[in-house]
Amino acid sequence: MKKVIIMFTLLVVIPISSFSQTIENIDYISPFNEGVAAIKKNNQWAFINKVGDIVINFRNDLVVTASVNGNYPIFNSGRCLIVKKENGISYFGYIDSLGNTAIEPQFLNATAFNNNVATALKLEKEEVGKNTALNKGIVYYKYFEVVIDINGTIKTYLTQKGVNIALDRKFLRKPPKFLTKQLSNNLIAVKSDNGKWTIKKIIE
């Protein structure tokens, strides 16, 4: 009888102890969204699945997004925002659910995806001449607010007139603000210089 009890105990205990995974000293745990939850530890974020496995390891480039439940990185439409700094300027892109870069960091600002679209500030460079003495091109930079799909393809320009900008960290300590907001899957509101709003349809 004792042998039966011992065997039964081993069968029950061993699988549990063999497959359990402990993640300790977590500072924050977000609600689950798209099957994963963000966890914070020592100013880095990771993602776990619903069985407690880390599916995207701790990293410092995940962007915290404000939501009704708190502020944390979040997956929407299979994409999560990341940020990369170059010469002190922040550029935003996205990773996929495996942690691979899906859209290279290139935007001066970007939102989380919603129904497979996101709003981003697309930077464009225009060469207007050349400084012959220094043998350097004279360039101007401007950005446009655009709607992108999950592949980073521009679906529509929300602002037709670009905003001129000095690509210098002294002037870009923070990402430029948006003048638009998404109202629904196919509607975007654009704020004009006079403070009035224009509603635009996103054409599929």
Side-chain angles (χ1 to χ4, degrees):
M1 184 66 180
K2 285 184 178 180
K3 288 183 178 180
V4 174
I5 293 172
I6 291 170
M7 289 295 294
F8 179 77
T9 304
L10 289 172
L11 287 172
V12 172
V13 173
I14 289 175
I16 293 174
S17 60
S18 297
F19 292 100
S20 63
Q21 179 185 11
T22 303
I23 308 171
E24 298 178 333
N25 300 318
I26 302 301
D27 299 313
Y28 184 89
I29 306 169
S30 79
F32 277 91
N33 189 68
E34 295 197 355
V36 293
I39 58 174
K40 183 182 181 183
K41 183 177 181 181
N42 298 330
N43 294 320
Q44 291 190 325
W45 291 91
F47 283 98
I48 59 171
N49 60 21
K50 289 190 175 181
V51 296
D53 296 327
I54 294 178
V55 292
I56 295 178
N57 213 344
F58 288 97
R59 49 197 291 173
N60 57 16
D61 61 346
L62 298 176
V63 176
V64 172
T65 302
S67 73
V68 293
N69 297 313
N71 300 326
Y72 47 86
I74 190 170
F75 269 95
N76 276 312
S77 306
R79 298 289 182 264
C80 178
L81 266 170
I82 57 172
V83 63
K84 179 181 179 182
K85 283 212 169 187
E86 290 184 12
N87 299 320
I89 300 172
S90 297
Y91 294 93
F92 295 83
Y94 299 85
I95 58 171
D96 61 21
S97 57
L98 297 176
N100 301 318
T101 301
I103 303 173
E104 290 289 340
Q106 58 188 282
F107 305 110
L108 291 180
N109 204 347
T111 67
F113 271 87
N114 182 18
N115 292 308
N116 297 319
V117 294
T119 308
L121 301 184
K122 174 67 174 174
L123 182 67
E124 295 188 4
K125 179 173 75 172
E126 181 183 2
E127 188 164 340
V128 294
K130 193 168 185 177
N131 185 322
T132 53
L134 299 175
N135 196 29
K136 287 185 178 181
I138 302 172
V139 297
Y140 289 106
Y141 293 93
K142 60 177 62 177
Y143 66 84
F144 297 83
E145 289 195 39
V146 298
V147 174
I148 59 173
D149 64 18
I150 60 172
N151 299 311
T153 303
I154 296 174
K155 293 172 65 69
T156 186
Y157 278 77
L158 297 174
T159 51
Q160 301 303 315
K161 182 181 178 182
V163 177
N164 293 319
I165 194 165
L167 206 60
D168 190 308
R169 60 184 172 186
K170 291 185 292 184
F171 301 101
L172 281 174
R173 291 191 178 97
K174 293 183 179 180
K177 293 182 179 180
F178 288 100
L179 295 176
T180 64
K181 57 184 177 181
Q182 188 172 351
L183 303 176
S184 68
N185 294 358
N186 299 309
L187 291 179
I188 296 285
V190 183
K191 194 172 186 179
S192 304
D193 294 336
N194 60 6
K196 303 292 185 179
W197 291 89
T198 300
I199 296 175
K200 291 187 175 184
K201 292 184 179 180
I202 301 173
I203 301 172
E204 297 291 341

